[in-house]
Structures are given as C-alpha cells and as structure tokens.
Amino acid sequence: MTVSSASGSPVAGSAAPIGVTVNGTEHEFAGPLSVRELLERLDLPCQGVALAVDGAVFPKSRWDEPVGRGWQIDVLTAVQGG
C-alpha cells in the first residue's frame, strides 16, 4: 500500500488515511483528494479513459468530487479492433 501526503510525499503514521483500490491495487492517501487528483498522483491518464466506481460508470463531470473511502475504482481505456 502507498501512503502519500497532499504533496504526494509518503507519510508515516498519518491519521485516518483514505484507502481505495485502483485497478486491483490498494492505495492509501493521507488526506482528501478528488478523482482527478487521484489519477494524477498515480500517473494515470485523465483523457481517453472512463472510470467505474464500485462497478458503476463514474462520469467525468464528477471527477472533481472527493474520493470516498473504500472505493473500488477501475480505469478503463478504449481499444481498437473487433
């Protein structure tokens, strides 16, 4: 698990971290952050992707909302072919 401060630096012993799972990997963050900030901290793209939170589509119009504790987030990219 990764624990990060608001600046992205690791934090030891921070109180009440926010734990989420992104693409099957658990992460913890020291304080509140938006979905968009989460993607940036994890070096995931903000364009050309779709998100699902707990199995439901999470529209881009809501990406500035805070991430909730325990969310299961899947970052999905489109692929060509058929």
Side-chain angles (χ1 to χ4, degrees):
M1 247 182 257
T2 305
V3 178
S4 302
S5 69
S7 66
S9 303
V11 172
S14 59
I18 296 172
V20 298
T21 303
V22 180
N23 291 345
T25 303
E26 293 181 19
H27 299 274
E28 285 188 3
F29 296 92
L33 73 161
S34 70
V35 173
R36 191 176 312 279
E37 290 169 329
L38 172 87
L39 294 174
E40 290 170 1
R41 286 201 198 163
L42 297 178
D43 291 324
L44 294 169
C46 288
Q47 294 187 342
V49 297
L51 294 184
V53 174
D54 298 331
V57 173
F58 195 81
K60 199 165 195 171
S61 62
R62 295 184 58 198
W63 285 15
D64 290 319
E65 294 179 16
V67 171
R69 280 194 176 82
W71 280 9
Q72 300 276 330
I73 301 170
D74 293 302
V75 181
L76 310 165
T77 56
V79 294
Q80 285 185 273

